[in-house]
Amino acid sequence: MPDLDRVVREIADEMRARPDRGTVASYIPELARADAAAFGLAVVDVEGRAAVAGDGDVPFSIQSISKVFTLTLALGMAGDRLWRRVGREPSGSPFNSIVQLEREAGVPRNPFINAGAIAVTDLILSGHQPREALGEILRFMQALALDQTIAIDEAVAASEKRTGFRNAALANYMRSFGVIENPVDYTLGVYFHHCAIAMTCRQLATAGLFLAHDGRHPLTGHSVISAERARRINAVMLTCGHYDGSGEFAYRVGLPGKSGVGGGILAIAPGKASVAVWSPGLDAAGNSHLGRIALESLTKRMGWSIFAA
Amino acid sequence: MPDLDRVVREIADEMRARPDRGTVASYIPELARADAAAFGLAVVDVEGRAAVAGDGDVPFSIQSISKVFTLTLALGMAGDRLWRRVGREPSGSPFNSIVQLEREAGVPRNPFINAGAIAVTDLILSGHQPREALGEILRFMQALALDQTIAIDEAVAASEKRTGFRNAALANYMRSFGVIENPVDYTLGVYFHHCAIAMTCRQLATAGLFLAHDGRHPLTGHSVISAERARRINAVMLTCGHYDGSGEFAYRVGLPGKSGVGGGILAIAPGKASVAVWSPGLDAAGNSHLGRIALESLTKRMGWSIFAA
Amino acid sequence: MPDLDRVVREIADEMRARPDRGTVASYIPELARADAAAFGLAVVDVEGRAAVAGDGDVPFSIQSISKVFTLTLALGMAGDRLWRRVGREPSGSPFNSIVQLEREAGVPRNPFINAGAIAVTDLILSGHQPREALGEILRFMQALALDQTIAIDEAVAASEKRTGFRNAALANYMRSFGVIENPVDYTLGVYFHHCAIAMTCRQLATAGLFLAHDGRHPLTGHSVISAERARRINAVMLTCGHYDGSGEFAYRVGLPGKSGVGGGILAIAPGKASVAVWSPGLDAAGNSHLGRIALESLTKRMGWSIFAA
Amino acid sequence: MPDLDRVVREIADEMRARPDRGTVASYIPELARADAAAFGLAVVDVEGRAAVAGDGDVPFSIQSISKVFTLTLALGMAGDRLWRRVGREPSGSPFNSIVQLEREAGVPRNPFINAGAIAVTDLILSGHQPREALGEILRFMQALALDQTIAIDEAVAASEKRTGFRNAALANYMRSFGVIENPVDYTLGVYFHHCAIAMTCRQLATAGLFLAHDGRHPLTGHSVISAERARRINAVMLTCGHYDGSGEFAYRVGLPGKSGVGGGILAIAPGKASVAVWSPGLDAAGNSHLGRIALESLTKRMGWSIFAA
């Protein structure tokens, strides 16, 4: 069994030395300011040992990684009713495609493409004020990460709101089919804000631990979600977590994972550890370029692929 | 650890008692003759112990399950060059869709939809006569299943050839883009014949063992493929093995698997066992209805989900 | 040469006797209140003679027929620059499809599908307040129809605004590509209001006369648009005027025309007459069922098809 | 009224002087040998006067223009039953798209895209040997063109057959839905051969005359088709005759027309004349670049647009 601390350190060093870095997302102006040279990695195992390297304690915008946590929260609130509003099949399309919605009566293919995550947000919002719903999401993240200082980057949220016309199109489209029930502006407001939560790799890996531990947070002992639901969230992450690069991620990394356009990726090694990596440059499918390479190297060295004997 | 023999027997009994059986595929006339009441299950673990129940020793048409083995064979022959001809992303479409091919210059999304498997067959055929290529595929299956009696059901192959216009459309379409290089009739002939191989659940589970054992067949000790490739084939099975029901299968069963319209499913529990199930009735996505339910029950009772801690 | 007055009267009588009436549009609640039994027909020839029958003097919601006039107005304001924002090819899709927009970078296929008409409205709005732009459109209609009493039905406009989520999706989508430049709410406000203009068949036929007369209004002598542009607007009406029923309309009626979900159709017989028909029941493609049949009968009896010798 | 002879001569001179010539089709190898500098124009009016200029007496491959004549022939044989196999709406897609077929159960959108023309050919073939069906099509063309020497260019037909994989895909796809009933090879054989008929502009314009004259050939007096069907064929030519450039052709030229990838276009001025133009270089939509410009100039100078007063 290789030494986790050493492996994490070596990978961080290797990644920082690489010249290929992908392209920093520019469609949200505020995100375009991220430092392309940044690289952070944090692994927290199910016994609570953390290995952190590089910029693993620098906060970044988690963006779509928040969708894993809103899905967890919404499943807790609505149970399997949730699946009437959103499917769980890979989409075969980019993250913001609207074509599939037209073909399938406004029901998004899965909770990890934008449309699906907006529908999940709408479910969390039901019967609440946007501020309340957002507070609940934020407190959930803080509790999972064991850190009350986690906050929303209001500049990023405002930047997304100003330029999020494509998400507004998706939301209005779903509203026309009744898949979204709250005022579109409310739902989008909550959505833009939870995407704008800023976290470090260490916080994110800690927050994801319950998925590596059959739904129970190993550090607090609290049951976050049932073991079956935890397995199933992992399954959806594996098949749908990286948009139209999900097959590639499963093929190369072999772990359930969820990426965000801020350059972060959360990956789960069931029974072993929760991993967060961050590097702002993205590949063509919108996933962190170095992040994916680092995770491929990590699972290989640690023998963590869920597809290995 | 539950007793595998007992679990397998109980599941077979439960399945045979269920009234819901799906619909036997009718688009290949010869397949429509299958007995809707049949149910077979075989589990072979990585130490060679077999548990077989129900009609687990009755041969059936493996159909698309053959694609796992042609992919393995083609990777051995062509290596990663294969991925120039076929992708590895879920398609978000039915098994015989041609829409995606038009959008992506004739390159099929993955080796498990029909178009992709035809492209893989074309690669195996390169420079050979159809009869030779087919012989090689059949010998490969016999060697993996440790059974020289495995044969092609010529009536099924002939039936597919007579009615396989949609596959002929896919093949000609890819040929127009140069993704297929051999005469279309040759490639389709080999394809229809390897889909028409008849095997029992016991033979199929035995043949799949190398995928549960990092590429080495545990009963012969032979290395079929590298450990990395075995992991990666499992990954492609998980994301793409059940057409537009792949997400659902991952969500419910939590194992890499590949279904066929003959009603069979091969599933792999890495490090543990290879499983084959057969029941001819299909669900809306074209996958064995009881087969999927049986596998869900099996992984749950045995704790084999790759997404569990 | 048949007597126009008699033909118009006979057609109105025949149509009112028919039991088949199509289905009144229900997606805008206010429109659902229309009287399914209503039928109006008005023909105004290029010498100013009007033949009006049935409910030809009852106002109805012109809906998408307004798109012919906003296109005319926008071409007068922006000239051929307009064609950078919108194409002029038939779409092969329903009136409110968003699929095509994704494939073609947010540029709508033609000015007569909803997306295209919203883009044209956005062009008219440029640099103005919504109220000013709307006033200009309304005055243009009044001038063409020779009737200052023409007004907007505010209840219909409000109803569309409350339920127009799909149009909001289209507008936001185009905004994300920069095809729309004004605030989405402004553009949609003007769009919903000009669709809610109420006119009679007589007023509408009068307003369309310039298109039958090479761009010059025969009753006022004013040049509304150049002869070339008038011909070209007629061409776009013929190929794109009835959504995914445009081919059928050309095949059966043989005149340039534009339908609205209020049940009206404006048709142009170049050099001869302008025709407006109204019957609220729609066919599957969203065009007035009896309106189309009445026009087919009219062109046949009058020998007005542009495809005849 | 401008002098037709002079106008035709002037246009031919202008076209031959232009440097922009489009791109000669290369996907059928034999067509790629066409002389990019060639330009021919022939106008035959409904009284039989012919004006011919440039290479108007040089034969070229009529390709898809043959679809106008096979549609006419098939309507004569099968009547309106034909429309059960093929629609009459513009497709909004390139000439050889297969996407629409998947969406609409194998029924092609119109008889002028490849799929639709193959379905029409299949109807003509019903109950005959390919040789007989082809003989009938050829005799029909000879009779309409008043020229028994018109023949099929076997080199072109063979070239298409060798490389026509995309058409084979379309045909097999439709066969899988039962839209095509004859053996695919038979239907494609007839299709490739009638596309390979070689004709001069003078012959083609003569052959099209019946469409400008309500279905009756003005030079022989024979009724080819009813007046209503002639009008309707013109309507389908206008909305669908130039693939995804049909709107543009209607907008600029204002006449029903049908193009072929050999560089020919047949256009009909109802009640006035039949026009054939030929220049091998194509535009992006696959229509003759100079051919379209020449026709635009011709209708403008002669005042023949069907959209003009």
Side-chain angles (χ1 to χ4, degrees), chain A residues 166-246:
Chain A
R166 198 134 169 188
N167 285 319
L170 294 169
N172 275 287
Y173 201 78
M174 290 188 284
R175 184 75 164 83
S176 77
F177 283 98
V179 170
I180 279 189
E181 294 176 349
N182 294 287
V184 165
D185 282 352
Y186 283 24
T187 301
L188 282 177
V190 177
Y191 175 75
F192 289 142
H193 277 82
H194 75 62
C195 286
I197 292 175
M199 291 173 79
T200 67
C201 287
R202 186 192 300 265
Q203 291 165 338
L204 198 52
T206 306
L209 266 180
F210 72 98
L211 290 170
H213 199 239
D214 282 348
R216 212 159 35 75
H217 199 306
L219 304 185
T220 64
H222 288 146
S223 172
V224 179
I225 203 162
S226 74
E228 184 171 86
R229 284 224 172 103
R231 286 200 301 274
R232 289 176 163 187
I233 292 173
N234 286 340
V236 181
M237 286 173 82
L238 194 101
T239 53
C240 314
H242 295 79
Y243 315 121
D244 208 20
S246 296

Side-chain angles (χ1 to χ4, degrees), chain C:
Chain C
M1 179 68 154
D3 176 64
L4 180 61
D5 271 307
R6 196 166 51 80
V7 167
V8 164
R9 230 176 315 113
E10 284 172 9
I11 291 175
D13 289 346
E14 283 162 29
M15 292 304 124
R16 295 218 278 196
R18 285 180 76 120
D20 55 320
R21 309 226 134 227
T23 312
V24 176
S26 60
Y27 80 102
I28 303 171
E30 197 65 25
L31 289 185
R33 306 161 64 148
D35 174 12
F39 179 87
L41 176 60
V43 181
V44 186
D45 73 16
V46 290
E47 300 184 4
R49 281 179 301 246
V52 179
D55 301 311
D57 283 311
V58 176
F60 61 93
S61 191
I62 66 168
Q63 293 293 316
S64 293
I65 304 173
S66 64
K67 297 170 182 175
V68 176
F69 300 97
T70 49
L71 173 63
T72 304
L73 197 58
L75 275 173
M77 293 165 72
D80 285 337
R81 275 193 304 118
L82 178 142
W83 302 114
R84 291 186 211 154
R85 301 260 202 110
V86 62
R88 49 196 182 229
E89 289 297 332
S91 69
S93 330
F95 67 98
N96 57 4
S97 174
I98 204 162
V99 167
Q100 172 264 325
L101 285 184
E102 179 159 322
R103 208 172 47 212
E104 300 178 308
V107 176
R109 285 234 123 195
N110 67 63
F112 291 156
I113 52 174
N114 286 15
I118 293 169
V120 167
T121 300
D122 187 71
L123 206 65
I124 293 176
L125 182 55
S126 297
H128 300 89
Q129 287 301 307
R131 189 158 298 275
E132 293 166 20
L134 197 55
E136 183 146 30
I137 296 170
L138 191 59
R139 282 190 302 276
F140 185 58
M141 295 303 295
Q142 292 169 337
L144 289 175
L146 310 177
D147 192 331
Q148 307 303 312
T149 68
I150 291 169
I152 290 163
D153 183 329
E154 290 289 345
V156 170
S159 188
E160 289 208 53
K161 196 159 193 173
R162 264 196 312 279
T163 60
F165 298 110
R166 198 135 171 189
N167 285 318
L170 294 169
N172 276 287
Y173 201 79
M174 290 188 285
R175 183 76 164 83
S176 78
F177 283 98
V179 171
I180 278 189
E181 294 176 349
N182 294 287
V184 166
D185 282 351
Y186 282 24
T187 300
L188 282 178
V190 177
Y191 175 74
F192 288 142
H193 276 82
H194 73 63
C195 286
I197 292 175
M199 290 173 79
T200 68
C201 287
R202 187 192 299 266
Q203 290 165 339
L204 199 52
T206 306
L209 266 179
F210 73 98
L211 289 170
H213 200 240
D214 282 348
R216 211 159 34 77
H217 199 306
L219 304 185
T220 65
H222 288 145
S223 171
V224 179
I225 203 160
S226 74
E228 184 172 85
R229 286 220 171 108
R231 284 199 303 274
R232 289 176 163 188
I233 292 173
N234 286 340
V236 181
M237 287 173 82
L238 194 101
T239 52
C240 313
H242 295 78
Y243 314 121
D244 208 18
S246 297
E248 188 66 13
F249 191 85
Y251 180 85
R252 293 201 176 277
V253 177
L255 293 182
K258 181 75 207 82
S259 66
V261 288
I265 305 178
L266 173 67
I268 304 298
K272 299 186 179 97
S274 170
V275 186
V277 63
W278 170 53
S279 172
L282 308 182
D283 62 22
N287 302 309
S288 175
H289 175 68
L290 288 189
R292 203 261 293 149
I293 293 172
L295 287 170
E296 187 175 353
S297 178
L298 180 71
T299 41
K300 203 172 195 171
R301 296 202 212 177
M302 300 303 296
W304 280 353
S305 166
I306 60 173
F307 300 112

